[in-house]
Amino acid sequence: MALDYFAPGVYVEEVDRGSRPIEGVSMSVAGFVGFTEDIRGDAELFKPMLITNWSQYLEYFAKPGSPHPGFTEFDAYLPFAIQGWFDNGGGRCWVVSIGTRPPGSTAPSAEETATKVLTSGKKPSLRFNLRLPDGDTAALPPSEGRLTVRISEGEPKPLPEDAPDDTEPPFNTGEYFTLEIKSGNEVVGRYPHLTMNPEAETAVADYVVTALADSEFLDIADMSVAGQPLSRRPVNGFYEVAPPPYVGQVDRVSRDLQGIRDDRAGIEGLFEIDEVAMIACPDMLRAYQEGWLDLDQIHGLMERLFTLCENSFPGPAYRMAVIDPPPVKVGKNNNQAILPEQQKPQDVAKWLSEFNRRSMFGAVYYPWIKVPNPRNGGRPIMVPPSGHMMGIWCRTDESRGVFKAPANETPRGVLGLAYETNMREQEMLNPMGINCIRNFANYNRGYKVWGARTLVEPDNVQWRYISVRRLISYIEKSIEMGTQWVVFEPNDQDLWARVTRTVTTFLTRLWREGALFGNSPNDAFFVKCDGELNTHDTMMLGRLYIEIGVCPVRPAEFVIFRISQWAPNQ
């Protein structure tokens, strides 16, 4: 606004008098931690990578040329969880890979990890390995030192300047090529006039193995079979060369999973991604089944998940962790096996009682689910349900809203259940906060998610339901993000009115969508920002207080029809 007017005329001034609308935040972005088949492109070991669809997951975490891309040889559960997430309606997610090989396994040979280049006839031509420093035999993280090799058209060497004028230049037979080594966008090595002929005259071309023998970046091997140099020539293209895969030690599995928050690594690193609102770590249980972690270590990681979800300073806590029930051990002594099929309702109830950790920001689903395993001809494998369940959360958010309980929904991609829970068994599990996945074949309804409770204490009724917890988190986070403009504004009645209008408009929209209970907005919520809350003393301290009360809708978990005989008046 202009401070003074001296010359006659028309002055146009822009004045901001309206309230700023609050845009709801997304509560449908997931975070996953576990083992992957490979780590490629921009993906890095231990670091969160944004994935938006299954094809993109394969681009970053599938091995090139794999007959079953994306799925590991040791049946890690993370790929099944990611596929279940997308199949069930999941959108964006962040994936943290903690490795591509079983911890403690033998490091792969150079031939196994090499980048292989073929001829135009699809026969072996060259093999590339990243050259490690002398004496360095440790498996390096694949994200460090990754190079790109480009093979393009080439030609024989030109004639020397002192060659006689009547000398004919070498004939280009098509066997020659140029090789470039790139680190990121920087070319760190260029080798023109190359051939696959080990007996080539150096005046005409250089044998590729000899030319790169002194390279500080690549080890190269000739895999071609007998034939003319042209038929053995590598096909043009770009080829990624990565260090050997990281093979973790068994005693580091827990640390690799948990990670370090400051390094944005592991589970802790996901909490540095603001948009992540739900987290699962299914390969915790793969590590348990393989003996890499014991049950106490599993409980420690689950406890850490809940603690991180509960602590979100300075903003409100809004993330939830979906944990999976550990399978039970069967057999004796050295013949013990850990099988999810053997986990009965009483087993999972006993486990939760022994774990003895309650949190309104946690949820658990039982039993494990049966899905196709591409690495075993499509035969079924039992996997933890967390990835599929979080996909249903996302699907429900998009189709109905975050206030709708993610239950009475069909899990997609599920062939069966590790155990078919009946009504009486669920009567034991449901009050404990264990959400069951049921088979309703008798009703011709298939498999249904038949529970919507958090892991809060059973007597804490306010936060019993997943939908209520997520709705309140949605409201809190949306208001926090949508009212940042209020900071440092003059703290007077005009500001109080603007803030009240802003929040009221947002909550009214939620009420109209069915998220809040009441016949009118006045019945569904209240917003208070006045002189009673904001006294002279509080304003002197630079504080603005707003009180908000909401009445969330709650799921009709128990539907009771009371039927009696009725005789109409005669």
Side-chain angles (χ1 to χ4, degrees):
M1 179 177 293
L3 296 179
D4 45 37
Y5 307 95
F6 294 107
V10 177
Y11 295 84
V12 178
E13 300 170 353
E14 186 173 307
V15 180
D16 184 8
R17 296 193 185 278
S19 59
R20 303 187 185 184
I22 295 175
E23 183 177 359
V25 299
S26 173
M27 298 291 292
S28 305
V29 180
F32 294 93
V33 182
F35 297 98
T36 59
E37 185 188 23
D38 202 356
I39 302 175
R40 301 166 50 214
D42 295 331
E44 298 183 43
L45 186 70
F46 303 129
K47 300 299 179 66
M49 183 69 197
L50 177 63
I51 303 295
T52 58
N53 54 55
W54 179 248
S55 297
Q56 196 173 49
Y57 175 81
L58 298 181
E59 178 184 346
Y60 291 121
F61 296 109
K63 186 176 295 183
S66 171
H68 309 291
F71 296 89
T72 67
E73 296 176 355
F74 57 102
D75 289 334
Y77 293 139
L78 178 68
F80 296 100
I82 300 294
Q83 190 176 58
W85 159 261
F86 287 120
D87 286 348
N88 282 278
R92 297 194 310 277
C93 67
W94 291 79
V95 177
V96 177
S97 174
I98 62 168
T100 61
R101 296 274 173 155
S105 61
T106 304
S109 65
E111 184 174 355
E112 288 181 274
T113 60
T115 299
K116 299 176 177 64
V117 184
L118 305 179
T119 68
S120 57
K122 306 300 182 184
K123 293 183 179 179
S125 178
L126 293 174
R127 187 183 76 204
F128 298 115
N129 286 96
L130 196 72
R131 177 163 290 177
L132 300 178
D134 292 340
D136 188 355
T137 59
L140 300 177
S143 60
E144 298 179 5
R146 186 182 285 113
L147 300 174
T148 302
V149 173
R150 180 192 179 194
I151 295 176
S152 58
E153 294 296 337
E155 57 185 14
K157 292 181 180 179
L159 292 173
E161 295 180 359
D162 57 353
D165 294 339
D166 58 350
T167 304
E168 293 186 4
F171 178 68
N172 191 346
T173 61
E175 67 186 83
Y176 307 106
F177 58 96
T178 299
L179 187 149
E180 281 185 348
I181 305 173
K182 300 181 70 176
S183 176
N185 295 323
E186 179 185 1
V187 177
V188 295
R190 189 174 189 276
Y191 302 87
H193 318 304
L194 300 180
T195 178
M196 294 295 292
N197 182 7
E199 300 177 356
E201 297 182 13
T202 56
V204 177
D206 296 320
Y207 178 43
V208 61
V209 176
T210 304
L212 273 76
D214 296 331
S215 171
E216 60 178 305
F217 301 103
L218 290 179
D219 282 324
I220 186 171
D222 186 348
M223 300 190 304
S224 62
V225 297
Q228 296 299 318
L230 179 59
S231 65
R232 295 156 56 190
R233 180 194 186 281
V235 70
N236 293 346
F238 291 87
Y239 305 93
E240 186 177 83
V241 184
Y246 170 77
V247 181
Q249 300 303 312
V250 172
D251 60 359
R252 284 193 56 91
V253 174
S254 180
R255 282 178 289 178
D256 287 347
L257 282 167
Q258 181 171 331
I260 301 173
R261 192 157 189 172
D262 290 343
D263 293 343
R264 290 185 170 234
I267 292 172
E268 302 254 359
L270 284 175
F271 285 83
E272 289 296 304
I273 310 297
D274 288 339
E275 68 174 358
V276 171
M278 55 184 91
I279 296 176
C281 186
D283 275 331
M284 258 197 259
L285 301 189
R286 169 52 72 196
Y288 176 59
Q289 287 179 291
E290 297 295 335
W292 305 330
L293 296 175
D294 60 33
L295 194 56
D296 287 336
Q297 290 174 298
I298 294 294
H299 289 167
L301 290 169
M302 290 178 176
E303 156 64 29
R304 188 60 185 160
L305 267 175
F306 291 159
T307 299
L308 290 170
C309 287
E310 292 166 349
N311 296 329
S312 187
F313 182 82
Y318 61 96
R319 298 182 176 97
M320 290 193 68
V322 181
I323 62 173
D324 300 294
V328 298
K329 293 182 178 181
V330 295
K332 296 182 179 180
N333 301 327
N334 295 330
N335 294 322
Q336 281 189 335
I338 302 178
L339 303 173
E341 299 91 331
Q342 299 297 324
Q343 188 181 49
K344 303 297 189 292
Q346 58 267 30
D347 296 323
V348 70
K350 180 182 177 183
W351 158 74
L352 187 57
S353 297
E354 292 175 350
F355 179 34
N356 201 28
R357 175 62 157 97
R358 291 287 174 171
S359 175
M360 69 177 73
F361 295 95
V364 62
Y365 289 86
Y366 168 82
W368 286 29
I369 55 178
K370 185 186 297 183
V371 300
N373 185 359
R375 282 197 170 270
N376 192 21
R379 297 177 181 86
I381 180 176
M382 295 294 178
V383 302
S386 53
H388 292 68
M389 298 303 104
M390 292 200 309
I392 291 176
W393 288 18
C394 185
R395 184 208 311 174
T396 306
D397 289 353
E398 294 180 356
S399 62
R400 297 288 299 277
V402 70
F403 58 88
K404 165 67 172 67
N408 202 358
E409 297 282 344
T410 300
R412 300 168 186 162
V414 175
L415 303 179
L417 305 175
Y419 183 89
E420 294 196 356
T421 312
N422 61 34
M423 181 73 168
R424 293 302 182 192
E425 290 167 332
Q426 190 172 11
E427 285 181 340
M428 173 181 66
L429 300 180
N430 196 62
M432 300 178 68
I434 300 172
N435 301 314
C436 291
I437 308 169
R438 298 271 304 275
N439 182 1
F440 288 96
N442 293 337
Y443 294 89
N444 294 319
R445 300 188 66 228
Y447 301 106
K448 296 289 181 182
V449 179
W450 211 242
R453 294 195 175 194
T454 68
L455 277 173
V456 76
E457 296 84 355
D459 59 347
N460 192 346
V461 180
Q462 274 193 320
W463 304 107
R464 172 175 289 176
Y465 297 109
I466 294 171
S467 56
V468 174
R469 174 64 269 172
R470 297 183 71 232
L471 172 62
I472 299 301
S473 295
Y474 170 80
I475 292 172
E476 291 172 348
K477 193 65 177 175
S478 299
I479 290 176
E480 180 204 16
M481 300 298 293
T483 57
Q484 293 294 314
W485 60 269
V486 179
V487 181
F488 295 117
E489 287 291 304
N491 194 355
D492 56 13
Q493 289 89 341
D494 179 62
L495 180 64
W496 303 348
R498 293 176 66 191
V499 172
T500 301
R501 285 196 303 270
T502 296
V503 177
T504 300
T505 301
F506 171 66
L507 295 178
T508 301
R509 186 168 73 245
L510 285 180
W511 170 74
R512 286 174 177 158
E513 292 172 356
L516 302 178
F517 179 81
N519 292 324
S520 67
N522 290 334
D523 297 331
F525 64 87
F526 73 83
V527 181
K528 183 178 181 180
C529 182
D530 56 20
E532 183 181 349
L533 292 176
N534 298 285
T535 65
H536 176 74
D537 291 339
T538 63
M539 288 189 286
M540 289 294 291
L541 294 173
R543 299 174 183 177
L544 170 64
Y545 289 101
I546 306 101
E547 285 188 358
I548 301 171
V550 296
C551 183
V553 293
R554 300 177 185 273
E557 187 177 20
F558 309 102
V559 181
I560 303 160
F561 290 94
R562 292 175 173 168
I563 303 173
S564 62
Q565 296 187 41
W566 175 69
N569 295 327
Q570 299 297 326

